[in-house]
Amino acid sequence: CACDMDFNAAVRLLLSFTDGATDAQKAAEACRIVSRHVAANNRKRGSEYSKTIATSMGAVLNVVSSETFAVWSSAEEAVNNIIKLALVSYPERVLIELFKSLKSAKGGRGRKKTFEW
């Protein structure tokens, strides 16, 4: 069951996701787990929290361009939640990274696998 998945397992699933090869419902649930983990650790700011945000964002961005509605909609929701939380702790850094990502995006919902921190 996807509900038994922990944060690390969710990240691994998202980073290895390919459409059709992985159960879409598990990938959608993994996006929600990652988003909840970032929110639950929001008060713990520091180097570990910035690594959590970077890891989470990279994993979720890996699936945001999925062809499966459940996956990409969960991924987009997770991206929005992670950005909202990151803006509180790292406003300048988030804006710089978003600008760099937008500048290098190649149309539409292009796949961006890394989020540099």
Side-chain angles (χ1 to χ4, degrees):
C1 173
C3 56
D4 296 330
M5 197 180 327
D6 70 346
F7 172 72
N8 292 324
V11 168
R12 282 192 303 273
L13 186 139
L14 294 175
L15 289 174
S16 65
F17 180 82
T18 54
D19 275 314
T22 306
D23 182 25
Q25 292 303 325
K26 284 185 181 180
E29 181 60 24
C31 289
R32 290 187 283 275
I33 289 169
V34 167
S35 180
R36 284 193 300 264
H37 181 79
V38 172
N41 290 295
N42 188 31
R43 297 188 191 279
K44 300 176 188 173
R45 298 200 171 91
S47 64
E48 289 302 312
Y49 186 63
S50 67
K51 288 178 188 175
T52 299
I53 289 175
T55 302
S56 300
M57 188 61 80
V60 173
L61 286 175
N62 189 51
V63 299
V64 80
S65 63
S66 171
E67 294 177 5
T68 307
F69 174 77
V71 176
W72 67 256
S73 63
S74 294
E76 286 185 359
E77 183 178 328
V79 166
N80 289 336
N81 290 337
I82 293 168
I83 289 173
K84 286 177 188 176
L85 293 168
L87 276 171
V88 173
S89 301
Y90 310 100
E92 297 87 12
R93 199 170 186 177
V94 169
L95 292 175
I96 290 168
E97 291 299 326
L98 285 174
F99 177 74
K100 286 174 17 183
S101 295
L102 291 171
K103 187 176 173 185
S104 66
K106 303 227 182 325
R109 292 186 353 230
R111 188 175 292 204
K112 178 87 172 138
K113 290 189 179 185
T114 60
F115 195 70
E116 299 171 13
W117 282 77

